[in-house]
């Protein structure tokens, strides 16, 4: 997966917007105003791409035990976030699955009214 594929995939999901709330380096994807995916553009340029993704606490631990390329979320609540190193250990299909899981967790946590607005939107 390259940065363009990540960018296009995240933005293809319903209700997703992109932001740079922290600095010019950290690209954040949100649904309903809540983050579900973050990445450092500088890390991509350096050849060390990674993404921070939300995860259920139990699954987060299981994934960290299974994959060396999945770590507690960098600069995030380590109980709920993983950093996934995109170093080819984890197939793109799995990375897409992890992105979907993060999106779905965040989407499900939104107020019903916002979820309905997003579901009824064109995007």
């Amino acid at each position: 997966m390259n940065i363009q594929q990540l960018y296009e995939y995240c933005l293809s999901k319903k209700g997703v917007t992109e932001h740079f709330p922290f600095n010019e380096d950290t690209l954040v994807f949100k649904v309903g105003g809540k983050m579900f995916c973050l990445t450092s553009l500088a890390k991509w340029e350096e050849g060390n791409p990674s993404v921070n993704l939300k995860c259920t606490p139990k699954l987060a631990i299981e994934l960290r035990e299974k994959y060396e390329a999945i770590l507690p979320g960098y600069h995030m609540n380590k109980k709920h976030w993983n950093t996934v190193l995109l170093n080819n250990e984890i197939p793109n299909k799995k990375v897409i699955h992890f992105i979907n899981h993060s999106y779905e967790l965040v989407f499900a946590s939104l107020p019903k009214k916002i979820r309905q607005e997003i579901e009824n939107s064109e995007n």
Side-chain angles (χ1 to χ4, degrees):
M1 174 175 290
N2 62 42
I3 187 67
Q4 189 64 34
Q5 291 167 321
L6 173 71
Y7 182 83
E8 289 173 2
Y9 186 73
C10 287
L11 285 181
S12 74
K13 303 190 85 43
K14 266 196 177 279
V16 172
T17 55
E18 62 175 301
H19 305 270
F20 287 88
F22 307 114
N23 53 42
E24 295 176 2
D25 174 52
T26 308
L27 173 59
V28 175
F29 295 98
K30 295 181 178 184
V31 60
K34 291 189 171 191
M35 299 184 296
F36 75 93
C37 180
L38 299 84
T39 192
S40 162
L41 298 179
K43 292 279 187 190
W44 286 87
E45 291 172 9
E46 295 166 4
N48 298 309
S50 66
V51 291
N52 281 8
L53 299 168
K54 193 146 191 166
C55 193
T56 61
K58 183 179 180 200
L59 181 59
I61 291 168
E62 290 172 11
L63 293 174
R64 292 174 201 163
E65 290 173 353
K66 184 173 181 177
Y67 298 102
E68 285 185 31
I70 298 182
L71 309 168
Y74 181 70
H75 283 303
M76 305 298 285
N77 180 327
K78 294 171 182 9
K79 182 177 180 181
H80 298 279
W81 288 85
N82 279 336
T83 295
V84 179
L85 306 177
L86 303 177
N87 61 3
N88 296 325
E89 176 193 349
I90 302 172
N92 284 348
K93 189 175 179 179
K94 281 277 188 201
V95 174
I96 294 291
H97 175 75
F98 300 151
I99 292 169
N100 290 341
H101 177 68
S102 181
Y103 173 88
E104 290 162 9
L105 277 177
V106 173
F107 184 82
S109 75
L110 297 172
K112 184 177 181 179
K113 182 180 179 189
I114 294 174
R115 288 195 318 266
Q116 288 175 334
E117 287 172 3
I118 292 169
E119 288 170 343
N120 295 330
S121 70
E122 293 288 318
N123 181 3

